[in-house]
Amino acid sequence: MAESAAGYDLTPLTAEQIEEKAVGLSADERRILLDHGTEPPFCGTLLDNKKQGVYECRLCDLPLFNSNAKFDSGTGWPSFFQPFDPQHIHSIEDDTLGMRRIEVRCPRCNSHLGHVFPDGPAPTGQRYCLNSVALTFKENASA
């Protein structure tokens, strides 16, 4: 078993396990998560979420970002300046659309999450720009 520094199992899921988890996804969710699509800006349900908690992978529930790393980037997608654990994000060069970008995926189920850009706030200078549909939000019990 591959374990992150935060203590989560990062063992990659098999194609069969991914398909089992994807059974209840809508066509749009499949397009974004499994086919690496993008939702339109300013339409995601988590864009304006201000509650305290953890944002997890929609497909496999791996914690991806804490709410204290979320900021309003003005781009129309939920944005974060650092991941829950650096091992909980897998980065891939993306040369589609005639430009070089860094795509971010879940390291456990390979779901497309969004992209990361070097124009975020301190302390990291990173802007993880994510699709709301790629995330679920778990509110802190004490919040």
Side-chain angles (χ1 to χ4, degrees), residues 58-79:
R58 165 76 173 82
L59 198 61
C60 76
D61 301 321
L62 182 69
L64 300 171
F65 297 91
N66 279 310
S67 58
N68 61 3
K70 189 172 190 260
F71 69 99
D72 183 3
S73 66
T75 62
W77 291 278
S79 298

Side-chain angles (χ1 to χ4, degrees), residues 36-47:
H36 311 285
T38 299
E39 66 191 3
F42 299 103
C43 76
T45 59
L46 296 174
L47 177 63

